[in-house]
Amino acid sequence: MNTAEARTWLLEQAAGRGVDLEVLGTSERKLTVESRDGKPSDVSMSESGGVGIRVVKDGRAGYAWSEELSEEALSWALDEAIANAELQEEGSTAVLPVGQAMGRHDLLDEGLSASLEAKKSAVIDFENVVSAQPKLQALQTARYSETQAEVEISSTQGTSGAYRSGYGMLMSAVVLREGDSVKQGYGLDVQQEFHKLDPGRTALDHVAKISRHLGARPLSTGRRRAIFEPEVTTTLLGLLTIGLSGKSLAEGKSLLAGKLGQKIASELITLTDDPLVDGGLANRPFDAEGTASQKLTIIDKGVFRSFMHNSDTAARTGQANTAHASRSYRSTLSVAPSNLMLEPGSGVTLTDGTIIVTDVMGVHAGANPITGDVSVQAMGLEVNGDELQSVDNFAISFNLLNLLEHVEQVGDDFEWKPGFSGIIGAPSIAVSDLSFGGS
Amino acid sequence: MLATDSYASLLDQGKQAGADFAEIYVERWRRRHLRTVDARVAEATSGIQLGAGVRLFFGQDVIYGYTNDLSEAALSELVASLARLKGSPEGRPDASGAGGIDLRRLDAGPDIHAPGVPFESHDKLWRLERLRELDAGARIGPEVRQVEAQLMEWEQDVWIANSEGTFAEDRRVRTRLVGHVIASDGTSTQTGHVGPGKSMGLELLDQFDPADVGKRAAQMAMNNLRATPVPAGTMPVVMGSGFGGVIFHEALGHLLETTSVARNASALTDMIGEQVASPAVTYVDEGLSKHGWGSSRIDDEGAPTESTTLIRNGVLESYMVDRWGSLVTGYRATGSGRRQDYTYAPTSRMRNTIVERGDTPREKLFEGIDYGLYASSLGGGQVKPGSGEYNFAVTEGYLIRNGEIAEPVRGAMLLGKGPDSIKKIVAVSDDLSNEPGMCGSLSGSLPVEIGQPHLLVSELVVGGEA
């Protein structure tokens, strides 16, 4: 069977099994071209996908998925989903939402329709510029990659809809050396349309971003004023999304539980999520349950206005569904932002002794999204008059909510960054007092 | 999954297109995941993962593609597409002149990791009861606010054939139990986490009593509740056994994978035979340990796994080498080609990496430390292999005062530059334990086991409260 046949077969089976059923199908095409020594070297391509199912039986929800679309495999998945549902407590009140026809949408259009030769040529140009940089010790990779995905959802409750999206990306990973100082890093440029990628400019930006850290000196332990560059700010907001999730709230794991309507951040902080923003990389006409997308204000001038919810977390917490259902076919229903955005401010000032935090490492291990406690390795630049001195071998430690409360300036240097929690855009932020652990 | 003839004809097609080497990797998984929060089912899901990856070498260039469609027509089209991507004219005669590929089945030996209690032995309710035992075991005090329990089951069948005539297959069965506890005293909230996993079936739950796993996670959370923020600074650190080995994993292990070495992107490139660590250190990447979380009988390139001594008495003896790494560097392949699944081409990766036990009694490590940190339990970390800069988080820690373990501290992040830190390991104790983890790198997220005795590092940067 293909995905469409599998969907039809599963929906037909639902009535006979006495369950409400939802099918989420995804098909994905990927292409990656690497360049080495001025010619395309490693290339990869793929076409893959699968179906994820959610069943609700007597108020109990269960999940399963399959990449194998034989009748035998789908039948196994359906049996498993029902058995998984039956593990839920009696008296559970899960409901498959009643939906509507959401139509078919093509968000990608001709964005990636350039020829393979044009893509190979772009990545060769990209590599040539990176390779020409005088401080380059090693080029780990210079690559172009693209993903096109089509998501289709249907249910026995009337939901139907599909959309296609995609992006192209240039990525480099390099090791730079100057004397005994060695620095490693990577850079990404992601665009929805291939022709918006600028290989030469991107290559120079990537190398410059890492190069400024050569010759770093160790930083001593102490408390200092700090500015987080936009990319670091987006990492912090990525951590915050876990607390903003209605699923975390419903499971008693949100650090923002009980704080709706309260001031949780500086008045300079306004955070929104907009799945329909013009040119947004994570746009979606509807969420993973087929609920129509809408812009959401999460924090308004420091006041916490809303969690992000899907139908299930909204029902369990008694709050409104904000159309933030998220699910890949392999996962269960969750919550995720689309294009999360911290509004820019009027700028940050560089004062002597301030550390500009340019990179954080070890966030998956050193940050606890349940408590908000963060202790992570960092790199930065120390402001000294007109000079910026690179500093490294230190860690920064803070509590996320405490940090947001003490933001004293917000920059006007807004940037979008792809991260683990979707697409996040932010400017720099400044705090007057941060803990630095070093030598 | 495929007929032997199909493998041979697809490989032949790859060679005919001018590839120097062709490989087909086919896999099918069944996965199950059950998660409870406060003894109620929060998540129950099951899935079938199925796909094939085709890899062609043209000199040192690697072309890789994958699909879920395992029909012969689809796979043949994939090989043809890959050849077109390379720009290689189809139908070009095999450069070696050899016709046809004669596949020989690899004898991977007895399956020493075979499950003792297969997944079919028990129903879902039995599993739920085990998770409820974990939950009950964790309820050690009124501060325990929430208990999350998870059971993960993976059954993976792989078939690998290549144009050198290798045909290998393996079944990997893995089970992991995780307890995660949130404790709160009204003003502060802290967490604890324990997660044993092995290449075995449900006998894991006999070897690691769920109630005890829950209790240990709760003890860690309660301990962190009592702990005060760690003072930041540079100080001597005693690393705990087991997952304490994450210091080696980050500071050294990743630097010894040919993925980085072959690109001159490791701080330890071209250092075979050199003293890279204290003579107290012998470091082994063990692919053979029975039921090891990172064990398998063959690697994901169809080569038998082995025990590879990386560092003996401080001297670098071997890197971890996959097929591509061997081709580029000339080092012997060590059965280290691994991948998360068919969506990744394999690269050189760690399996079960272990620091061998030393001869210093554990208590002696603390003697003479006026002020330092005992990092008794560690979380994950991260490294940049080219510069060697690494970090990892302490999930349970204590200050050392006057040679004795003193008050608990939390929020410590240890960091440094790998080769430099490893030379500062001055003593290795005579105990040893292993723990499982997931390691993320170029070829995806993989199960690895980490093991070490307690060891003393003369000086590390401790991130904390200044």
Side-chain angles (χ1 to χ4, degrees):
Chain A
M1 285 188 236
N2 61 29
T3 313
E5 290 164 345
R7 184 175 58 245
T8 306
W9 187 87
L10 285 164
L11 290 169
E12 282 169 5
Q13 295 290 310
R17 306 280 192 115
V19 295
D20 293 339
L21 182 108
E22 175 190 77
V23 185
L24 182 86
T26 305
S27 49
E28 210 169 55
R29 296 176 63 182
K30 293 187 176 185
L31 170 72
T32 300
V33 185
E34 283 195 46
S35 174
R36 186 158 291 278
D37 302 327
K39 61 184 180 59
S41 56
D42 296 4
V43 185
S44 69
M45 60 163 288
S46 64
E47 287 192 33
S48 63
V51 293
I53 58 181
R54 171 164 56 149
V55 302
V56 176
K57 187 182 183 189
D58 305 328
R60 299 186 284 186
Y63 294 84
W65 54 275
S66 185
E67 293 175 354
E68 183 178 343
L69 302 182
S70 67
E71 200 168 305
E72 181 197 349
L74 294 175
S75 187
W76 178 85
L78 194 52
D79 289 343
E80 282 282 320
I82 293 169
N84 287 334
E86 287 168 350
L87 274 182
Q88 299 280 357
E89 310 244 323
E90 300 248 3
S92 298
T93 55
V95 176
L96 200 58
V98 172
Q100 54 183 317
M102 302 299 294
R104 302 187 79 87
H105 306 259
D106 188 353
L107 310 183
L108 179 60
D109 205 13
E110 296 295 313
L112 298 174
S113 62
S115 69
L116 177 63
E117 288 314 308
K119 291 166 185 171
K120 283 182 176 175
S121 170
V123 72
I124 290 169
D125 290 349
F126 180 60
E127 190 230 317
N128 283 340
V129 178
V130 175
S131 295
Q133 301 309 303
K135 293 167 189 166
L136 189 78
Q137 175 190 303
L139 172 66
Q140 286 174 290
T141 186
R143 66 171 63 169
Y144 167 76
S145 55
E146 65 179 35
T147 298
Q148 303 179 39
E150 179 149 347
V151 177
E152 180 147 13
I153 182 168
S154 353
S155 81
T156 53
Q157 307 308 101
T159 303
S160 70
Y163 67 93
R164 175 173 168 265
S165 60
Y167 59 86
M169 173 172 94
L170 286 170
M171 177 191 171
S172 69
V174 298
V175 182
L176 304 181
R177 173 185 285 275
E178 187 174 49
D180 288 338
S181 178
V182 179
K183 285 292 168 193
Q184 180 173 20
Y186 71 96
L188 287 180
D189 184 35
V190 186
Q191 300 289 342
Q192 202 174 29
E193 293 173 50
F194 171 76
H195 73 85
K196 287 188 178 163
L197 291 170
D198 182 346
R201 179 80 256 154
T202 301
L204 291 173
D205 287 350
H206 288 184
V207 173
K209 190 178 90 169
I210 300 156
S211 177
R212 60 187 174 155
H213 292 298
L214 288 166
R217 62 167 181 73
L219 188 69
S220 62
T221 300
R223 301 190 73 90
R224 298 172 175 87
R225 182 171 181 267
I227 294 171
F228 295 88
E229 284 197 340
E231 188 165 343
V232 179
T233 310
T234 64
T235 302
L236 301 184
L237 293 174
L239 279 174
L240 186 67
T241 59
I242 300 168
L244 295 170
S245 158
K247 189 168 183 176
S248 300
L249 178 69
E251 291 185 355
K253 287 191 285 200
S254 170
L255 79 173
L256 292 167
K259 293 191 183 326
L260 266 183
Q262 294 181 17
K263 188 164 177 300
I264 59 160
S266 150
E267 285 174 7
L268 300 169
I269 299 291
T270 291
L271 186 70
T272 61
D273 185 63
D274 190 351
L276 306 169
V277 69
D278 193 25
L281 278 166
N283 279 10
R284 56 190 186 211
F286 49 84
D287 72 358
E289 294 183 291
T291 309
S293 295
Q294 56 186 349
K295 184 177 175 181
L296 178 70
T297 298
I298 297 168
I299 301 173
D300 185 15
K301 296 188 174 65
V303 178
F304 182 37
R305 293 295 180 200
S306 181
F307 285 94
M308 297 180 288
H309 283 293
N310 59 39
S311 72
D312 178 58
T313 65
R316 286 161 64 190
T317 58
Q319 298 178 7
N321 182 2
T322 60
H324 281 86
S326 158
R327 188 184 174 195
S328 78
Y329 66 81
R330 286 187 189 176
S331 69
T332 58
L333 188 69
S334 188
V335 165
S338 56
N339 306 294
L340 188 75
M341 177 175 155
L342 178 64
E343 285 194 1
S346 53
V348 291
T349 45
L350 304 185
T351 53
D352 276 2
T354 296
I355 305 295
I356 304 171
V357 180
T358 56
D359 191 16
V360 286
M361 291 164 60
V363 175
H364 67 292
N368 187 333
I370 297 172
T371 64
D373 291 333
V374 179
S375 186
V376 291
Q377 187 174 14
M379 280 203 292
L381 301 166
E382 183 169 20
V383 179
N384 184 8
D386 291 339
E387 304 271 304
L388 295 177
Q389 166 63 46
S390 171
V391 286
D392 69 0
N393 210 29
F394 63 91
I396 52 174
S397 303
F398 54 89
N399 182 278
L400 189 55
L401 288 184
N402 190 271
L403 182 96
L404 288 176
E405 281 171 34
H406 290 93
V407 170
E408 59 172 22
Q409 288 177 320
V410 175
D412 52 5
D413 49 352
F414 182 89
E415 287 179 35
W416 288 109
K417 291 286 171 193
F420 292 109
S421 329
I423 303 293
I424 304 181
S428 294
I429 55 173
V431 292
S432 59
D433 179 50
L434 189 72
S435 174
F436 291 82
S439 52
Chain B
M1 292 296 290
L2 304 183
T4 311
D5 285 356
S6 302
Y7 288 105
S9 81
L10 289 163
L11 293 169
D12 202 38
Q13 187 189 347
K15 292 282 283 182
Q16 291 290 329
D20 302 306
F21 171 80
E23 173 195 85
I24 300 173
Y25 172 91
V26 177
E27 67 173 357
R28 187 177 195 270
W29 298 70
R30 279 205 303 195
R31 299 178 186 263
R32 288 192 181 91
H33 181 208
L34 180 59
R35 181 170 71 95
T36 60
V37 175
D38 293 338
R40 295 168 69 102
V41 176
E43 198 168 358
T45 188
S46 318
I48 293 175
Q49 187 175 332
L50 173 79
V54 173
R55 189 165 63 141
L56 305 177
F57 280 37
F58 293 83
Q60 294 181 3
D61 295 349
V62 179
I63 312 297
Y64 188 72
Y66 62 85
T67 178
N68 307 123
D69 186 344
L70 300 198
S71 67
E72 198 160 336
L75 290 171
S76 177
E77 175 52 33
L78 176 61
V79 175
S81 301
L82 293 178
R84 277 198 299 276
L85 273 182
K86 180 60 193 169
S88 126
E90 278 181 83
R92 183 176 129 185
D94 182 343
S96 69
I101 290 161
D102 182 20
L103 291 176
R104 295 172 305 280
R105 188 172 292 270
L106 179 86
D107 178 7
D111 186 359
I112 58 169
H113 315 300
V117 181
F119 293 137
E120 296 73 31
S121 309
H122 295 289
D123 63 13
K124 288 179 189 286
L125 276 174
W126 181 89
R127 289 162 163 82
L128 182 55
E129 283 310 312
R130 300 286 81 74
L131 294 188
R132 286 179 171 150
E133 287 168 14
L134 188 154
D135 190 288
R139 305 285 167 183
I140 58 172
E143 297 88 349
V144 171
R145 209 183 75 193
Q146 187 190 81
V147 180
E148 183 174 280
Q150 297 189 67
L151 182 66
M152 282 162 275
E153 300 169 20
W154 301 346
E155 274 176 293
Q156 181 199 25
D157 289 299
V158 300
W159 298 267
I160 304 160
N162 70 34
S163 58
E164 290 174 353
T166 294
F167 181 80
E169 59 186 312
D170 198 10
R171 160 164 281 218
R172 290 113 181 223
V173 176
R174 291 189 171 95
T175 304
R176 191 166 193 193
L177 176 69
V178 177
H180 188 84
V181 172
I182 303 177
S184 177
D185 58 8
T187 52
S188 169
T189 300
Q190 293 299 326
T191 60
H193 179 100
V194 175
K198 288 281 178 192
S199 286
M200 58 172 55
L202 294 172
E203 70 268 34
L204 181 88
L205 305 182
D206 299 328
Q207 294 192 12
F208 296 90
D209 174 27
D212 184 56
V213 169
K215 184 176 162 193
R216 284 192 290 138
Q219 283 168 340
M220 189 184 287
M222 300 279 264
N223 194 70
N224 283 330
L225 212 51
R226 286 195 303 274
T228 51
V230 67
T234 299
M235 60 188 84
V237 177
V238 174
M239 303 290 304
S241 58
F243 212 73
V246 72
I247 183 174
F248 270 86
H249 180 96
E250 304 297 353
L252 199 58
H254 280 297
L255 280 61
L256 299 178
E257 296 166 338
T258 45
T259 312
S260 293
V261 172
R263 297 281 193 220
N264 191 27
S266 162
L268 293 173
T269 300
D270 290 334
M271 291 186 75
I272 296 279
E274 293 191 33
Q275 189 86 32
V276 297
S278 140
V281 171
T282 292
Y283 191 43
V284 177
D285 185 44
E286 174 58 82
L288 302 171
S289 57
K290 196 175 177 185
H291 297 298
W293 177 240
S295 294
S296 56
R297 290 188 300 160
I298 55 167
D299 73 359
D300 294 325
E301 302 185 302
T305 45
E306 59 166 54
S307 173
T308 309
T309 300
L310 304 170
I311 291 169
R312 193 186 301 275
N313 303 326
V315 176
L316 183 61
E317 199 164 282
S318 176
Y319 295 108
M320 285 166 276
V321 188
D322 62 339
R323 173 177 288 275
W324 178 86
S326 178
L327 183 71
V328 175
T329 64
Y331 296 122
R332 180 186 67 85
T334 55
S336 302
R338 300 188 69 195
R339 56 179 124 196
Q340 176 182 313
D341 56 33
Y342 67 90
T343 65
Y344 292 87
T347 56
S348 54
R349 299 291 293 270
M350 287 175 256
R351 299 169 295 216
N352 309 296
T353 31
I354 288 148
V355 181
E356 293 201 341
R357 69 185 81 223
D359 50 15
T360 309
R362 181 181 138 183
E363 310 78 59
K364 293 263 180 204
L365 297 182
F366 296 86
E367 285 179 8
I369 301 177
D370 290 337
Y371 180 78
L373 179 71
Y374 173 36
S376 70
S377 181
L378 280 299
Q382 192 184 0
V383 66
K384 294 182 175 178
S387 58
E389 291 164 294
Y390 72 90
N391 61 70
F392 50 90
V394 180
T395 51
E396 185 174 354
Y398 302 84
L399 286 181
I400 303 168
R401 294 183 189 276
N402 305 318
E404 302 283 336
I405 299 172
E407 72 269 26
V409 287
R410 60 181 157 82
M413 169 64 93
L414 306 184
L415 51 98
K417 290 186 182 169
D420 177 49
S421 302
I422 293 300
K423 284 187 179 152
K424 290 180 179 164
I425 292 170
V426 290
V428 178
S429 77
D430 54 4
D431 56 355
L432 175 67
S433 65
N434 296 356
E435 283 180 66
M438 295 301 293
C439 166
S441 185
L442 278 181
S443 58
S445 176
L446 286 173
V448 296
E449 204 164 275
I450 283 174
Q452 73 168 25
H454 279 72
L455 47 86
L456 170 61
V457 192
S458 62
E459 183 180 84
L460 275 180
V461 174
V462 178
E465 193 156 284

